[in-house]
Amino acid sequence: MPENASGGSSSSSSLLIRSKNPRRCQAENPLKLLSEFAGPALFLLSRTYPDASWSHSRRKIIAATPKAGSPIAEAVLARIAALYAIEKEIRGADAPARQTTRNERSRPLVAELERFLREQAARLSPGSEMGKAIAYLLNHWDGLTLFLDDGCVEMDTNPVENQIRPLTLTRKNSLFAGHDEGGRSWARIASLIATCKINSVEPYVWMKATLKAIATGHPQSRIDELLPWSFGRTS
């Protein structure tokens, strides 16, 4: 099975790109776009808990560490590194397997880390750099621990950020949209291309083969065979 962008294995790995919309801050727009989406909910962590990322939290601790070093920082970073080591082992497994491993191995580590952080928060000055960094982690704890309850959720927002970075870098190239329908058309094409990429399929090769299959009468009842995650097995 192809590996999806959240690191797990799925029967389908797909990505939805937001289309241009003048009311983009209103909740109904992303909900409408996602109403028929059946792939992994990559948006979940960054949409519901925008700052709940272990990678961001780790950077906070590193930034708060004095040049002379800090036993507290070393202890926190070592625990976070242990969590990432577990994630590396289970990358590519399906969501239930990932969640089982996280319950057995990651959850106790997270509980111990929370205990340690709260102990340090009680003794450190809230105004100190390390005190602020620890407060940041504790203030986002619900989001940081979300991955323990859902095998499809990542520890950080890196997969989402890596997918949207190319769009951010080339946003000026997308100004041709001009209006909502043009934005929706761009979003459809961008979604297809991104879906090919996260399924390790060359977009041009897939699109050429798919259009040729449609033109030569590929039956609609077997449309799933033309989707990017099936391309390597059916082409």
Side-chain angles (χ1 to χ4, degrees):
M1 290 183 179
E3 181 176 303
N4 62 40
S6 66
S9 182
S10 168
S11 60
S12 63
S13 303
S14 54
L15 180 76
L16 180 65
I17 305 298
R18 174 179 60 82
S19 64
K20 177 178 179 293
N21 195 304
R23 298 179 299 278
R24 60 185 178 183
C25 294
Q26 296 184 13
E28 66 266 20
N29 292 318
L31 291 176
K32 182 178 179 181
L33 285 170
L34 294 166
S35 61
E36 298 181 1
F37 183 60
L42 296 183
F43 72 97
L44 182 61
L45 183 59
S46 59
R47 176 66 181 88
T48 310
Y49 302 98
D51 297 315
S53 170
W54 284 97
S55 62
H56 293 174
S57 299
R58 181 171 54 188
R59 286 196 290 269
K60 290 284 185 180
I61 296 295
I62 293 173
T65 304
K67 292 183 178 180
S70 165
I72 296 175
E74 290 177 5
V76 174
L77 294 175
R79 288 168 168 82
I80 295 176
L83 292 173
Y84 271 104
I86 295 172
E87 290 300 301
K88 184 177 181 179
E89 291 180 25
I90 62 177
R91 186 170 296 122
D94 59 29
R98 282 154 58 93
Q99 187 172 352
T100 297
T101 300
R102 287 169 173 175
N103 280 331
E104 294 175 352
R105 300 171 58 189
S106 301
R107 193 177 294 276
L109 293 177
V110 170
E112 168 59 23
L113 175 57
E114 181 183 15
R115 182 193 63 77
F116 180 79
L117 289 173
R118 295 196 182 281
E119 287 179 355
Q120 303 310 312
R123 56 180 292 271
L124 289 172
S125 168
S128 67
E129 292 303 313
M130 189 60 67
K132 292 177 182 177
I134 289 177
Y136 176 90
L137 269 73
L138 293 174
N139 289 338
H140 295 90
W141 201 250
D142 286 346
L144 290 173
T145 57
L146 184 65
F147 81 105
L148 296 174
D149 299 315
D150 190 335
C152 289
V153 175
E154 288 293 315
M155 279 183 59
D156 53 42
T157 56
N158 289 345
V160 176
E161 293 174 8
N162 290 339
Q163 292 296 331
I164 66 175
R165 186 172 291 113
L167 301 180
T168 302
L169 294 174
T170 61
R171 61 164 56 115
K172 288 186 178 180
N173 295 332
S174 306
L175 294 178
F176 70 88
H179 52 81
D180 287 356
E181 185 54 41
R184 283 189 286 270
S185 297
W186 172 83
R188 295 185 188 106
I189 297 299
S191 294
L192 290 172
I193 293 174
T195 299
C196 285
K197 288 181 177 180
I198 63 175
N199 284 281
S200 301
V201 172
E202 169 58 43
Y204 174 77
V205 174
W206 169 80
M207 191 168 294
K208 179 179 179 181
T210 299
L211 292 175
K212 180 178 179 180
I214 293 173
T216 54
H218 186 90
Q220 187 173 357
S221 60
R222 290 163 48 200
I223 194 68
D224 285 354
E225 297 177 5
L226 300 181
L227 299 178
W229 48 82
S230 300
F231 183 68
R233 300 191 301 274
T234 59
S235 58

